[in-house]
Amino acid sequence: METIMPASEDEAADIIRDAASAGTTLEIAGGGTKRGIGQPLAADRVLSTAALSGITEYNPGELVLTARAGTPVADIAAALDENNQMLAFEPGDWRGLFGANGVPTIGAIAAANIAGPRRITVGAARDALIGARFVNGAGEVIRNGGKVMKNVTGLDLVKLMAGSWGTLGLLTEVSFKLLPRPQTETTLVLRGLSDGEGANLMAAALGTSAEVSGAAHLPEGVAARTGLDGGAATLLRLEGFAESVDARLQRLRDTLTGAPDMETLDVSASRDLWSGLRDVAPFAGGTRPLWKISVAPMAGHDVAALILRETAGEAFYDWQGGLVWLQLDDETDAAAEAVRAAVAKCGGGHATLIRAGDEIRRSVPVFQPQAPAVAALAERVRASLDPRGVFNPGRMVWNDGRKAA
């Protein structure tokens, strides 16, 4: 399939207008690292933002950065490191899940609304995204939001674009609010807890004044794969100034007096560990179906248990247990049905099939099915921004043979 890489926003708008006039379709891509997510596409050409690259405005004093959509996340991280700042939501690098050779881009992070372990305290990419420029399906350039956090006027298209997976428009520029990078960090590791015990302990830790910024539970097999031998590991991260971290760590230890043996990781080991969890490294390098399940924090282990009674696999938990990364051995429709049924039974949530072969992605909904009224509203929004259906046709909507994608 031909790939087009416009060098400017105007060129991208011309390409999209031509596609709308000709009745052709475009697959939207950044660095191409997440093209395997969604229902299989049948677009005529790929429109990549890779050439729309570069930081356009960055004022460290204002804690705001603006960059073109194709800018590699690594370039942004390097610029922020020079000023001890960060994208607090921890954008993940999922190349290892797909064996992808491209580079993650900031526009794709926004479009997919990806966030790492710190989401439990600072929110997702959507919460940090304060401005965007994009081209709609008619080839019109639209700017929404601003470069200051107080600017919220009219319809908040910025938030709408986050998580739209390129189905509403081509992002060309994004603005994010930033936070200072913590001076140091440590991770408290507690051993040997069951999934349910780990969930209870994480809830207790988040309820203290220790200001835990990361809470995850790794069953024994997953813990060993991350280099944490010695059984299941429940992980609690503390970040900030060194004296503050030391004081809060002691406070946390005192609170968890009835917990099993504890150990702490130094700043280097802690950062490596949480970077791996952010990137879902325990399940990288494989081809088995991988689900990302978001539920209430205390429901995560129950959801996983219900599913793993029906089919073989393994899981680990982030976001205080509210995010379940679940890798299954079963590639059948029945396994997908077990996932959906378990989520519904445990209070509802969202389950996304992040990795699977084309056959299974054609036969089951990849994204969480919406209620009919919500689906109808979403379709009206999509049709208003992309009336000719130019962008990523069918990527987020499962065609079950009875309705059009």
Side-chain angles (χ1 to χ4, degrees), residues 10 157 234 249 262 279 296 315 336 338:
D10 288 342
L157 294 176
T234 306
L249 176 62
M262 307 180 196
D279 299 341

Side-chain angles (χ1 to χ4, degrees), residues 252-275:
L252 188 59
R253 284 178 173 275
D254 293 342
T255 302
L256 304 176
T257 52
D261 292 341
M262 307 180 196
E263 62 180 286
T264 57
L265 302 181
D266 63 24
V267 60
S268 178
S270 179
R271 284 176 176 164
D272 287 346
L273 173 63
W274 290 98
S275 292

